[in-house]
């Protein structure tokens, strides 16, 4: 088949008639499908539900002289710190183990910057006239929501094949009002891009005008390959220390998509000075986190090697789902030249760039035909995609046959929106 852009007027009209008929047939099915959020599917949750059986009935709850069932040990039990340190390739003393959600830790870090300032701040950010934040786009909507909730001015920086446009970043940090930058450095949300070594080194070597500028390093998918072997990844803390910026980064991770999202364990990693400062503030709001759950995860996951074996089992579930999406796009859309997308080998999303000016229409058509997607524009701050082109697909939750149906709807909606755009402008 010809690319749509190469068709003449009569060919476009004929194709539109065919596509509209097919869309009406699919819409009449009354589907109710959801590919909106990156939730693990039931198969994955069943895969790890035996975590509840790992604690022996006569367990020794004593860790380093502390009973994990009691108060205390604010920054997490040593075995949990060791496990996360091994996964992140850092040192246990750099790791703070908290509750189940890394997003909560990220929000809390920014909130503390506003209420108290960070370790190197002269004053709380709430006392500043303006705070600006660098947001690689397309990116994670919940990161952007944190910025928006504190009234930050967000600055879009486009993603490239190797990470954020570092020429732009290096220029932006010369502004003392620029206080931070979001990053999902491995299998970025939503593109699935892995930052290159050069990009990581340039980030670590930034010379921001704001002495309390922070890199928020959301390493959510650090061990989340679904196609191929585990890809080792540089330690950002070491890179920043080597570059003379040991206090510039907070790294975050969790077991949300390793074990159970609602009952996992999250952590952040940072320099000693940042750790000492944050522990003083966190120690006011909490005495300790759920150490029994930390122990449960240590007993279940054991070490990095054992955890990577578990992730291969997750990959056995996720891989076919991602292939379903990519196969549909390659078969139905690629020959038409009406969209582009990344082909990630890990993470939880596939990012599709539609013909400019059509993403909202594709989203509307999908919704009317019974498929729920993350809103058009959600991958940009304030949901304002300047090109109205990006949509995020989350293949993980539905079963493969349901996902295949959802992709049929998505592809026919892409075609219909593109044809109408070409014919009507």
């Amino acid at each position: 088949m010809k690319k749509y852009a190469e068709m003449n007027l009569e060919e476009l009209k004929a194709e539109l008639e065919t596509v509209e008929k097919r869309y009406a047939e699919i819409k009449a099915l009354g589907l109710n499908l959801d590919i909106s959020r990156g939730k693990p599917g039931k198969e994955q949750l069943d895969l790890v539900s035996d975590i509840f059986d790992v604690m022996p009935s006569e367990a020794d709850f004593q860790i380093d002289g502390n009973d994990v069932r009691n108060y205390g040990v604010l920054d997490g039990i040593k075995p949990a710190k060791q496990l996360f340190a091994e996964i992140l390739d850092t040192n246990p003393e750099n790791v703070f183990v908290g509750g189940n959600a890394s997003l909560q830790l990220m929000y809390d870090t920014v909130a503390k910057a506003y209420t108290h300032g960070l370790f190197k701040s002269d004053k709380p950010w709430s006392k500043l006239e303006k705070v600006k934040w660098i947001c690689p786009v397309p990116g994670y909507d919940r990161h952007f929501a944190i910025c928006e909730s504190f009234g930050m001015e967000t600055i879009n920086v486009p993603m490239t094949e190797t990470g954020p446009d570092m020429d732009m970043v290096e220029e932006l940090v010369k502004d003392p009002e620029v206080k931070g930058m979001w990053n999902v450095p491995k299998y970025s949300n939503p593109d699935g891009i892995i930052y290159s070594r050069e990009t990581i080194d340039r980030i670590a070597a930034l010379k921001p005008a704001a002495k309390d500028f922070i890199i928020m390093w959301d390493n959510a998918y650090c061990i989340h390959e679904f196609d191929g072997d585990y890809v080792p990844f540089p330690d950002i803390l070491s890179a920043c220390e080597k570059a003379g910026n040991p206090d510039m980064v907070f790294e975050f991770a969790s077991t949300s998509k390793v074990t159970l999202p609602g009952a996992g364990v999250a952590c952040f990693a940072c320099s000693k000075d940042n750790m000492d400062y944050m522990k003083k503030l966190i120690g006011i709001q909490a005495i300790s986190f759920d150490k029994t759950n930390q122990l449960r995860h240590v007993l279940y996951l054991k070490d990095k090697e054992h955890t990577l074996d578990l992730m291969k089992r997750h990959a056995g579930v996720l891989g076919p789902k991602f292939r379903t999406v990519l196969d549909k796009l390659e078969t139905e859309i690629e020959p038409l030249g009406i969209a582009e997308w990344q082909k990630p080998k890990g993470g939880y999303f596939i990012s599709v760039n539609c013909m400019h000016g059509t993403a909202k229409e594709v989203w509307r058509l999908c919704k009317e035909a019974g498929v729920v997607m993350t809103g058009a524009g959600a991958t940009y701050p304030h949901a304002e995609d300047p090109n109205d082109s990006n949509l995020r697909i989350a293949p993980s939750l539905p079963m493969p046959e349901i996902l295949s149906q959802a992709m049929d709807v998505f592809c026919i909606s892409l075609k219909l929106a593109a044809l109408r755009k070409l014919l009507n402008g």
Side-chain angles (χ1 to χ4, degrees):
M1 175 174 281
K2 284 184 180 180
K3 292 183 178 181
Y4 281 180
E6 297 172 352
M7 290 184 179
N8 61 37
L9 184 60
E10 293 305 314
E11 290 171 327
L12 285 171
K13 288 180 177 179
E15 176 71 1
L16 177 63
E17 184 178 348
T18 300
V19 170
E20 284 184 331
K21 181 180 178 181
R22 177 60 180 148
Y23 177 79
E25 291 171 350
I26 290 177
K27 187 175 177 180
L29 296 175
L31 301 174
N32 183 17
L33 312 175
D34 189 341
I35 52 172
S36 64
R37 305 303 308 191
K39 298 179 181 179
K42 184 178 184 302
E43 291 172 275
Q44 289 176 267
L45 301 179
D46 291 343
L47 185 67
V48 295
S49 288
D50 57 337
I51 193 172
F52 295 114
D53 304 324
V54 74
M55 198 84 81
S57 58
E58 297 182 1
D60 182 2
F61 294 101
Q62 303 299 314
I63 301 291
D64 294 323
N66 296 290
D67 193 319
V68 300
R69 298 167 297 182
N70 214 328
Y71 288 130
V73 194
L74 176 67
D75 56 343
I77 61 174
K78 286 185 179 179
K81 290 160 74 77
Q82 177 62 46
L83 176 62
F84 274 114
E86 190 177 353
I87 289 172
L88 297 175
D89 194 25
T90 189
N91 299 314
E93 57 267 26
N94 293 335
V95 177
F96 184 107
V97 185
N100 75 299
S102 58
L103 182 66
Q104 183 180 37
L105 294 175
M106 285 182 264
Y107 179 91
D108 199 46
T109 301
V110 176
K112 283 176 170 49
Y114 268 82
T115 56
H116 292 77
L118 296 173
F119 166 62
K120 287 191 172 181
S121 298
D122 291 327
K123 62 177 72 173
W125 290 4
S126 60
K127 303 296 185 182
L128 302 175
E129 185 175 338
K130 184 177 289 188
V131 174
K132 302 175 183 177
W133 200 275
I134 297 172
C135 298
V137 292
Y140 182 28
D141 53 331
R142 295 189 185 274
H143 286 167
F144 304 151
I146 292 175
C147 292
E148 292 156 18
S149 72
F150 286 98
M152 293 180 182
E153 178 182 319
T154 53
I155 306 171
N156 292 358
V157 170
M159 286 287 287
T160 72
E161 295 288 337
T162 57
D165 182 330
M166 287 307 299
D167 290 342
M168 283 189 65
V169 171
E170 288 166 349
E171 190 63 30
L172 286 167
V173 299
K174 294 177 182 178
D175 180 352
E177 292 182 333
V178 173
K179 292 290 190 177
M181 175 182 175
W182 291 114
N183 292 274
V184 182
K186 186 177 178 186
Y187 305 125
S188 66
N189 179 352
D191 281 333
I193 290 168
I194 299 178
Y195 285 19
S196 70
R197 181 74 224 206
E198 180 187 0
T199 295
I200 294 168
D201 288 343
R202 289 177 72 177
I203 289 173
L206 286 171
K207 300 301 179 187
K211 65 181 182 181
D212 55 352
F213 176 89
I214 55 170
I215 296 296
M216 298 288 277
W217 200 254
D218 184 2
N219 214 345
Y221 310 111
C222 55
I223 54 173
H224 294 65
E225 281 75 16
F226 57 74
D227 182 3
D229 294 331
Y230 166 70
V231 178
F233 197 69
D235 171 31
I236 187 63
L237 271 69
S238 296
C240 285
E241 184 175 12
K242 183 179 178 181
N245 290 317
D247 305 320
M248 193 173 68
V249 63
F250 279 81
E251 180 174 20
F252 302 87
S254 77
T255 67
S256 289
K257 295 175 177 69
V258 178
T259 56
L260 304 171
V265 181
C267 76
F268 67 78
C270 62
S271 70
K272 181 182 184 304
D273 284 336
N274 278 331
M275 181 67 72
D276 291 344
Y277 181 80
M278 293 298 285
K279 282 168 66 174
K280 287 180 182 178
L281 296 181
I282 297 172
I284 296 169
Q285 73 184 81
I287 299 173
S288 60
F289 293 89
D290 187 346
K291 298 183 299 298
T292 56
N293 193 33
Q294 293 174 17
L295 177 59
R296 180 185 297 114
H297 276 75
V298 169
L299 294 173
Y300 189 72
L301 297 176
K302 299 180 181 177
D303 53 28
K304 184 174 183 177
E305 182 179 1
H306 190 262
T307 305
L308 290 177
D309 286 341
L310 171 60
M311 297 311 293
K312 288 181 181 178
R313 294 162 63 197
H314 278 292
V317 176
L318 283 174
K321 295 183 179 184
F322 275 79
R323 284 192 288 275
T324 294
V325 172
L326 292 171
D327 286 349
K328 288 282 186 180
L329 291 172
E330 289 166 11
T331 301
E332 297 291 328
I333 303 301
E334 192 167 34
L336 306 177
I338 58 173
E340 296 178 343
W341 54 91
Q342 298 289 335
K343 298 178 182 179
K345 293 183 175 294
Y348 259 65
F349 304 100
I350 292 173
S351 176
V352 177
N353 290 312
C354 319
M355 183 181 295
H356 286 194
T358 64
K360 289 180 181 177
E361 176 65 3
V362 173
W363 182 88
R364 184 190 68 80
L365 290 167
C366 285
K367 183 180 179 182
E368 287 193 1
V371 173
V372 177
M373 298 186 67
T374 303
T379 53
Y380 285 75
H382 306 286
E384 294 175 359
D385 177 354
N387 295 321
D388 185 24
S389 67
N390 188 256
L391 288 166
R392 187 182 78 175
I393 299 172
S396 57
L397 183 62
M399 296 296 287
E401 60 272 19
I402 301 299
L403 183 60
S404 181
Q405 278 188 304
M407 286 307 299
D408 286 339
V409 175
F410 181 72
C411 289
I412 202 70
S413 299
L414 266 178
K415 294 176 185 179
L416 187 52
L419 286 165
R420 289 174 175 173
K421 178 72 174 177
L422 289 169
L423 285 166
N424 302 321

